[in-house]
Amino acid sequence: MASSAGKPKWRRVQHQAPYCVPPSHRIFTERNKMVTKDIQLRELFRNTEKYAGKEVVVRGWVRQNRNSNKFGFINLNDGTFFQPVQIVYEADKLDNFEEVAKAPLSSALLIKGTMLMTPDAKQPFEIHAEEVTMEADSAADYPLQNKRHSMEFLREIAHLRPRSNTFAAVFRVRSLVAYAIHKFFQERDFVYVHTPIITGSDAEGAGEMFQVTTLDMKNPPLTEDGKIDYSQDFFGKETNLTVSGQLEAEIFALAFRNVYTFGPTFRAENSNTARHASEFWMIEPEIAFADLDNDMQVAEDMVKYIINYVLENAPEEMEFFNKFVDKGLLDRLHHVVNSDFDRVPYTKAVEILQKADKEFQYPVEWGIDLQTEHERYLTEEVFKKPIFVTDYPKDIKAFYMRLNDDGKTVAACDMLVPDVGEIIGGSQREERMDVLQARMKEMGLNEKDYWWYLELRKYGGVKHAGYGLGFERMIMYVTGMSNIRDVLPFPRTPKTSEF
Amino acid sequence: MASSAGKPKWRRVQHQAPYCVPPSHRIFTERNKMVTKDIQLRELFRNTEKYAGKEVVVRGWVRQNRNSNKFGFINLNDGTFFQPVQIVYEADKLDNFEEVAKAPLSSALLIKGTMLMTPDAKQPFEIHAEEVTMEADSAADYPLQNKRHSMEFLREIAHLRPRSNTFAAVFRVRSLVAYAIHKFFQERDFVYVHTPIITGSDAEGAGEMFQVTTLDMKNPPLTEDGKIDYSQDFFGKETNLTVSGQLEAEIFALAFRNVYTFGPTFRAENSNTARHASEFWMIEPEIAFADLDNDMQVAEDMVKYIINYVLENAPEEMEFFNKFVDKGLLDRLHHVVNSDFDRVPYTKAVEILQKADKEFQYPVEWGIDLQTEHERYLTEEVFKKPIFVTDYPKDIKAFYMRLNDDGKTVAACDMLVPDVGEIIGGSQREERMDVLQARMKEMGLNEKDYWWYLELRKYGGVKHAGYGLGFERMIMYVTGMSNIRDVLPFPRTPKTSEF
């Protein structure tokens, strides 16, 4: 928000009578007091030439403070840029040198000083302090000391871990990926739809769900035959947290042609793996007048767009991941944006796996759901890039996927990526009323629960297709982070809902 | 997604052996069959010159079909553009004239024809059909016939209402406003944070919440003293749906300086008003090193940015609202983007209201919470533009708001806009540990429940401020729609959770 001009300005704002405080555009004020035009570090790092040799005012938190009794160095970070700025301070110049020398880790300072380029040093420039003001103190027992911490410990201090290098990088990249996704779809005039979080329907016809209620758990009202009387619950019926917005997205695709969702989804599965969370975010585009080929093309374009966006907009963070989290990450991502993704029908994939010179834990035969070991073998050893596996057996897929002419497979696709496995699952939707009804009957679904979904087929139900992208899986893929708990700001998993 | 070139291309794709279907970039394919390069209507309307006189292929749904036995006119809409395109078809040119003449409302067609400019007609151009293919039929009992429907009826067919003019306009604008908000913050390098939906904390220390559980409602496990044993619930404790992400956003502001949330929030209040929903979306920016003045400036800039973005990117929809939903809307919005919002302290606002030559239903005295009638009087009759009311009595505001030096008021602000009332509520946060603790004690809050929130004040807790924007209220404001149920795709209100 702040400042773009070079010279800091200090001035007094007059509180104007009788009640109108004039907006002071683009200036970080303090109410009716001094006005400090400070410069955010991102601005300073991105436009160093502009500020070189000039007087600047910066604010931030102490990330390191080393000193002798004559001078000292502070690494200061205000959170707007991945790297800290080096502050040089001297006893000769500061009245409060001793106070500054004691400024503890995570205390906050306001610094007025001169920015000097340092072509021979590691950092591009440093600021020589002329005035230092303490803005906030920090206690000596600050848990995030400058040493290596385990990921488990950092999860316990989720209120402080965004201040560490790793999580500063993860959560900025998370934000950029989210924006890249919106940008990708909005540039293509897709309409963003907020599908409901609380729902009476169950999109997949499967999956354990969280119940949402305002009934008194201790004394719930009962019906005459002794069941819970949900007519007295808040919504007048039993409701759950959504597992997918797809069915509702289809409503919008059949009105706007191109739409997408981006919202939280929930699974009440009691599974403790590095790839599953109980609350996660999902993106579900849905496209009318489209078949599976179109669908895969959009998915491929989107993945490349996201990677390019992050490489361009978070070079420092991506460099950090490549160096400290996942060596080879950048090579892999560059390779992906320059490849055409391969497409292999499930039946062919099974043949490849059966012929493979490799012992799998789960034996492969036509009809099984592919396991992570199979998926990884295909992407990492056979194709060496992301692939779509298409046309899965209908028995292992959802009721709404379009039946192929062979009567055995459906027009589904999974995008598999090296190291992570599945990040996208999509399909062409069954638009033929009779086929859909037969399929629902086969799977024991009640048509009444899907009355509006069926009506979409009755009134102009053109072919359409869509997919779901697991947002956190995408973040794991582009950062190299290996546990979903470390790409979610406040992960929810079995027995864990702190913060 | 589709097409930009002028001439439609029909060609046969070879299914390549053995398993690689080549990506057919930017071409809407049908799997292994004909490839149709169709043109979306938005492209056609935005670049008419490019296509004038050329052969084009379009797809869409029938919105109107009038004909004689010689020729006919179809209004076709594919959802990508607010206006439909007029298709002219003639018995002399079409083999299937009779079939086309009978194409019912909401059936879908693929049309190949020539685009002709019509400078003397209402619509800018029309397409003279050479080939028409039925893509999907529609039943005669289609509920959304071309006549006036009540809003109540349209809510009952929420799976079809996005196809009506009003809701096509509302939901495209909703999508654009969402994107404008992301764009505003991302251009300023704010980090987007996903704060948790399922939570053990209650941000406001008030407000009725939805409980989230996987316990068996009928036979919940009990503790020895007969209470519900939440240690056996999914998260090992009692959890609810979030009412605000602010407290968690503060965590991120104290790491990244500038952050924002954008996610669903929930209130289990049994209130049936035109301004309240049980599930709604909220945007909560949080800014470190900022005071209330900075906070209000960001809020004002954001509101103007949103309005400008929508005026630029949805001119047809905004024209429609101005004409059919809220006459005067455009004038009002143009006025807002060209005004500086006024700022009036609560104490002064009370004086103005007390002196007002107007009888209020709720009498005004210092200490009361302002009612909608008071807010509307201030914005509509006194200031005639959006205003911030600031520095409210502490007793009517939340525990986390910063106590002013007078000891009676807090550094809070509400943005009030004409016709809608409050759309933003913000405050500078109490960063002083001792003051915060005293305030929490006063309000009967347990420090243990807020251990991490308090720790933020212990370790570099600089001044910071933020606000919450009710997303749906903003949509109501920019569209002139008067009921929150009509700006939510699938509204959740007491006893209502269909779809």
Side-chain angles (χ1 to χ4, degrees):
Chain A
M1 293 312 307
S3 82
S4 50
K7 267 228 142 176
K9 285 174 193 156
W10 302 75
R11 63 180 173 88
R12 188 164 290 276
V13 168
Q14 294 301 324
H15 194 167
Q16 292 186 347
Y19 47 73
C20 175
V21 179
S24 351
H25 283 274
R26 309 272 163 233
I27 292 177
F28 263 64
T29 71
E30 300 184 38
R31 296 189 84 198
N32 317 328
K33 288 186 206 141
M34 299 294 266
V35 174
T36 307
K37 196 159 186 176
D38 69 339
I39 297 170
Q40 299 191 15
L41 295 186
R42 173 169 292 265
E43 165 69 12
L44 215 55
F45 273 94
R46 287 279 184 254
N47 299 292
T48 43
E49 346 55 60
K50 192 167 146 192
Y51 300 99
K54 302 226 170 97
E55 192 166 78
V56 294
V57 175
V58 297
R59 280 161 152 161
W61 291 276
V62 173
R63 295 281 181 252
Q64 199 171 48
N65 189 357
R66 296 159 294 144
N67 47 63
S68 69
N69 56 2
K70 290 257 168 25
F71 60 92
F73 303 97
I74 285 171
N75 283 345
L76 194 82
N77 194 316
D78 70 352
T80 64
F81 195 69
F82 188 65
Q83 265 116 40
V85 62
Q86 174 149 293
I87 310 291
V88 184
Y89 60 98
E90 295 171 58
D92 287 353
K93 288 196 186 162
L94 299 183
D95 297 341
N96 58 346
F97 175 82
E98 283 185 30
E99 185 193 30
V100 176
K102 282 185 204 145
L105 209 55
S106 203
S107 62
L109 308 176
L110 183 148
I111 287 154
K112 192 179 166 184
T114 305
M115 175 171 152
L116 295 179
M117 300 306 287
T118 50
D120 300 328
K122 220 175 66 181
Q123 70 279 4
F125 61 87
E126 54 193 25
I127 294 173
H128 289 251
E130 283 139 32
E131 273 180 47
V132 178
T133 316
M134 296 287 289
E135 293 230 333
D137 202 2
S138 182
D141 63 351
Y142 184 58
L144 199 63
Q145 295 294 320
N146 286 331
K147 56 168 192 168
R148 190 169 272 282
H149 302 281
S150 74
M151 287 297 182
E152 290 74 16
F153 170 72
L154 290 168
R155 280 173 216 146
E156 283 167 26
I157 52 164
H159 62 313
L160 301 174
R161 71 174 180 170
R163 306 175 186 191
S164 70
N165 284 336
T166 303
F167 290 96
V170 166
F171 293 127
R172 183 172 297 275
V173 165
R174 186 181 165 102
S175 168
L176 292 173
V177 171
Y179 186 57
I181 289 166
H182 281 296
K183 205 162 181 295
F184 174 82
F185 287 114
Q186 296 271 344
E187 283 172 358
R188 285 155 185 76
D189 291 310
F190 279 53
V191 170
Y192 177 30
V193 193
H194 290 118
T195 50
I197 313 298
I198 299 172
T199 173
S201 1
D202 170 2
E204 307 277 338
E208 297 207 47
M209 297 195 289
F210 290 104
Q211 190 169 352
V212 175
T213 185
T214 54
L215 291 180
D216 179 359
M217 296 278 289
K218 192 68 198 304
N219 295 302
L222 301 178
T223 58
E224 277 181 17
D225 53 347
K227 290 181 182 159
I228 303 282
D229 182 6
Y230 284 111
S231 74
Q232 294 188 46
D233 206 348
F234 191 89
F235 294 108
K237 64 176 187 176
E238 197 174 343
T239 50
N240 298 293
L241 291 179
T242 183
V243 297
S244 162
Q246 178 204 312
L247 303 195
E248 288 91 354
E250 288 185 47
I251 289 174
F252 271 70
L254 294 172
F256 289 102
R257 184 162 183 162
N258 305 315
V259 306
Y260 69 108
T261 73
F262 191 153
T265 37
F266 305 85
R267 299 285 154 86
E269 275 152 37
N270 204 347
S271 62
N272 267 300
T273 84
R275 290 157 39 90
H276 292 89
S278 310
E279 175 180 314
F280 55 100
W281 288 66
M282 200 140 71
I283 295 93
E284 298 181 285
E286 191 72 32
I287 317 165
F289 301 106
D291 67 11
L292 194 67
D293 280 350
N294 308 133
D295 201 33
M296 289 188 281
Q297 195 55 56
V298 175
E300 178 174 338
D301 289 351
M302 181 198 70
V303 167
K304 290 175 177 173
Y305 187 98
I306 291 170
I307 294 173
N308 278 326
Y309 189 83
V310 170
L311 291 173
E312 258 171 52
N313 288 280
E316 292 81 8
E317 285 83 354
M318 294 306 289
E319 199 64 63
F320 172 85
F321 290 125
N322 194 54
K323 213 163 160 184
F324 296 108
V325 174
D326 182 2
K327 288 189 195 355
L329 176 72
L330 290 179
D331 279 349
R332 201 170 66 232
L333 294 178
H334 283 296
H335 175 61
V336 166
V337 293
N338 294 315
S339 314
D340 281 336
F341 297 5
D342 264 317
R343 301 178 182 189
V344 47
Y346 169 90
T347 302
K348 183 74 200 174
V350 165
E351 281 171 39
I352 295 173
L353 291 167
Q354 282 174 331
K355 281 184 204 149
D357 186 21
K358 176 159 184 160
E359 193 84 10
F360 293 113
Q361 201 191 332
Y362 295 90
V364 177
E365 61 176 59
W366 200 96
I368 66 155
D369 210 354
L370 299 184
Q371 302 296 314
T372 303
E373 57 173 344
H374 308 134
E375 296 178 345
R376 294 191 61 163
Y377 178 79
L378 289 170
T379 51
E380 289 162 33
E381 303 194 34
V382 181
F383 293 92
K384 298 187 199 309
K385 59 181 171 180
I387 59 167
F388 289 100
V389 177
T390 67
D391 304 296
Y392 284 82
K394 67 173 181 171
D395 293 336
I396 57 171
K397 289 289 182 184
F399 76 93
Y400 50 71
M401 298 189 177
R402 193 178 194 280
L403 193 64
N404 286 329
D405 292 344
D406 62 15
K408 294 189 306 183
T409 61
V410 287
C413 65
D414 281 358
M415 186 196 288
L416 313 178
V417 297
D419 293 314
V420 173
E422 185 205 328
I423 56 170
I424 284 176
S427 70
Q428 187 169 341
R429 318 310 187 184
E430 186 56 78
E431 86 280 15
R432 296 162 297 187
M433 179 70 100
D434 51 342
V435 184
L436 182 60
Q437 283 171 320
R439 193 88 178 90
M440 286 175 67
K441 200 172 172 188
E442 213 174 280
M443 298 181 73
L445 298 176
N446 190 340
E447 284 194 16
K448 267 192 201 158
D449 297 339
Y450 297 86
W451 68 270
W452 54 265
Y453 191 70
L454 288 165
E455 282 203 355
L456 295 179
R457 276 69 189 162
K458 192 174 166 191
Y459 305 119
V462 297
K463 69 175 174 191
H464 57 291
Y467 62 84
L469 165 71
F471 182 61
E472 281 74 20
R473 297 240 176 120
M474 189 71 208
I475 308 295
M476 291 168 75
Y477 184 54
V478 298
T479 60
M481 296 293 288
S482 57
N483 195 312
I484 198 167
R485 289 168 184 76
D486 300 324
V487 299
L488 277 155
F490 306 97
R492 269 74 183 104
T493 52
K495 303 292 170 206
T496 305
S497 64
E498 192 60 274
F499 302 100
Chain B
M1 294 313 306
S3 81
S4 51
K7 263 227 145 175
K9 283 172 195 156
W10 300 76
R11 63 182 172 87
R12 187 164 290 276
V13 167
Q14 293 300 325
H15 194 168
Q16 291 188 348
Y19 47 76
C20 175
V21 180
S24 352
H25 284 275
R26 308 270 163 234
I27 292 177
F28 262 65
T29 70
E30 299 184 38
R31 295 191 83 201
N32 317 327
K33 287 186 208 142
M34 298 293 266
V35 173
T36 307
K37 195 159 188 177
D38 70 338
I39 298 170
Q40 299 190 17
L41 294 187
R42 174 170 292 265
E43 165 69 12
L44 215 54
F45 274 94
R46 287 278 185 256
N47 300 292
T48 43
E49 342 59 58
K50 192 167 146 193
Y51 299 99
K54 301 226 171 95
E55 192 167 78
V56 294
V57 175
V58 296
R59 281 163 151 160
W61 291 277
V62 174
R63 294 282 180 250
Q64 198 170 49
N65 189 355
R66 295 159 293 145
N67 46 63
S68 68
N69 56 2
K70 289 258 166 35
F71 60 92
F73 302 97
I74 285 172
N75 282 345
L76 194 81
N77 194 317
D78 72 351
T80 64
F81 195 69
F82 187 65
Q83 265 116 41
V85 63
Q86 174 149 295
I87 309 291
V88 184
Y89 59 99
E90 295 169 58
D92 287 354
K93 287 198 187 162
L94 298 184
D95 297 340
N96 58 344
F97 176 82
E98 283 185 30
E99 185 193 30
V100 176
K102 282 184 204 147
L105 211 56
S106 203
S107 61
L109 307 176
L110 183 148
I111 286 155
K112 191 177 165 187
T114 305
M115 174 170 153
L116 294 179
M117 301 305 287
T118 51
D120 300 327
K122 220 174 66 182
Q123 70 278 4
F125 61 88
E126 52 192 26
I127 294 174
H128 289 250
E130 284 140 31
E131 273 180 48
V132 178
T133 315
M134 296 287 289
E135 292 230 334
D137 202 1
S138 183
D141 64 349
Y142 184 59
L144 199 62
Q145 295 296 320
N146 286 331
K147 56 168 191 169
R148 191 168 272 282
H149 303 281
S150 75
M151 288 296 182
E152 290 74 17
F153 171 71
L154 291 168
R155 281 174 215 146
E156 283 167 26
I157 52 164
H159 62 312
L160 302 174
R161 69 174 182 169
R163 306 176 186 191
S164 70
N165 283 336
T166 303
F167 290 96
V170 166
F171 294 128
R172 183 172 298 275
V173 165
R174 186 180 166 103
S175 167
L176 292 172
V177 171
Y179 186 56
I181 290 166
H182 281 297
K183 204 161 181 295
F184 174 82
F185 287 114
Q186 295 272 342
E187 283 172 357
R188 287 155 182 76
D189 291 309
F190 279 54
V191 170
Y192 177 30
V193 192
H194 290 118
T195 49
I197 312 299
I198 299 172
T199 174
S201 358
D202 171 3
E204 307 277 337
E208 296 206 49
M209 297 196 291
F210 290 104
Q211 189 169 352
V212 175
T213 184
T214 55
L215 291 180
D216 179 359
M217 296 277 290
K218 191 70 197 304
N219 295 300
L222 301 178
T223 58
E224 276 182 18
D225 53 348
K227 289 182 182 157
I228 304 280
D229 182 6
Y230 284 111
S231 73
Q232 294 188 47
D233 206 348
F234 190 88
F235 293 108
K237 65 176 186 177
E238 196 173 345
T239 50
N240 298 294
L241 290 179
T242 183
V243 297
S244 161
Q246 177 204 313
L247 303 195
E248 289 90 354
E250 288 185 46
I251 289 173
F252 271 69
L254 294 171
F256 288 102
R257 184 162 182 162
N258 305 316
V259 306
Y260 69 108
T261 73
F262 192 153
T265 37
F266 306 85
R267 298 285 154 85
E269 276 153 36
N270 204 348
S271 63
N272 267 300
T273 84
R275 289 157 38 91
H276 292 89
S278 311
E279 175 179 314
F280 56 99
W281 288 67
M282 202 142 70
I283 295 92
E284 298 182 286
E286 191 72 32
I287 316 164
F289 301 106
D291 66 12
L292 194 67
D293 279 350
N294 310 132
D295 201 32
M296 289 187 281
Q297 195 54 57
V298 175
E300 179 173 337
D301 289 351
M302 181 197 69
V303 167
K304 290 175 177 172
Y305 187 98
I306 291 170
I307 295 172
N308 278 325
Y309 189 83
V310 171
L311 291 173
E312 259 172 50
N313 288 280
E316 292 81 8
E317 285 83 354
M318 295 305 289
E319 199 64 63
F320 172 84
F321 290 125
N322 194 55
K323 214 164 158 184
F324 296 108
V325 174
D326 182 1
K327 288 192 196 350
L329 176 72
L330 289 179
D331 279 349
R332 199 170 67 233
L333 294 178
H334 283 296
H335 175 61
V336 165
V337 294
N338 293 315
S339 314
D340 282 337
F341 297 5
D342 264 316
R343 302 179 183 187
V344 47
Y346 168 90
T347 302
K348 182 72 198 174
V350 165
E351 281 171 38
I352 296 172
L353 291 167
Q354 283 174 328
K355 282 183 206 149
D357 185 21
K358 177 160 183 159
E359 193 87 7
F360 293 112
Q361 200 190 336
Y362 295 90
V364 177
E365 60 175 61
W366 200 96
I368 65 154
D369 210 353
L370 299 184
Q371 303 295 317
T372 303
E373 57 173 342
H374 308 134
E375 296 178 346
R376 295 191 62 163
Y377 178 79
L378 289 170
T379 51
E380 290 163 31
E381 302 194 35
V382 181
F383 293 92
K384 299 186 196 313
K385 60 181 171 180
I387 59 167
F388 290 100
V389 176
T390 67
D391 304 296
Y392 284 81
K394 68 173 181 172
D395 293 336
I396 57 170
K397 288 290 182 185
F399 76 94
Y400 49 71
M401 298 190 177
R402 193 178 195 280
L403 194 64
N404 285 328
D405 292 345
D406 62 16
K408 294 189 305 181
T409 61
V410 288
C413 65
D414 282 357
M415 186 196 287
L416 313 179
V417 297
D419 294 314
V420 174
E422 184 204 329
I423 57 170
I424 285 177
S427 70
Q428 186 169 342
R429 318 310 188 185
E430 186 55 78
E431 85 280 15
R432 296 161 298 186
M433 179 70 99
D434 51 342
V435 184
L436 183 60
Q437 283 170 319
R439 192 88 179 90
M440 287 174 68
K441 201 172 171 187
E442 214 173 278
M443 298 182 72
L445 298 176
N446 190 341
E447 283 193 17
K448 266 192 200 158
D449 297 338
Y450 296 86
W451 67 271
W452 53 266
Y453 191 70
L454 288 165
E455 281 202 356
L456 295 179
R457 276 69 189 163
K458 192 174 167 191
Y459 305 119
V462 297
K463 70 175 173 193
H464 57 291
Y467 62 84
L469 165 71
F471 182 62
E472 282 74 20
R473 297 240 177 122
M474 188 72 207
I475 307 295
M476 291 168 74
Y477 184 54
V478 298
T479 60
M481 296 293 288
S482 57
N483 195 313
I484 198 167
R485 289 166 183 79
D486 300 324
V487 300
L488 277 155
F490 306 98
R492 269 74 183 102
T493 53
K495 303 291 172 206
T496 306
S497 64
E498 192 59 273
F499 303 99

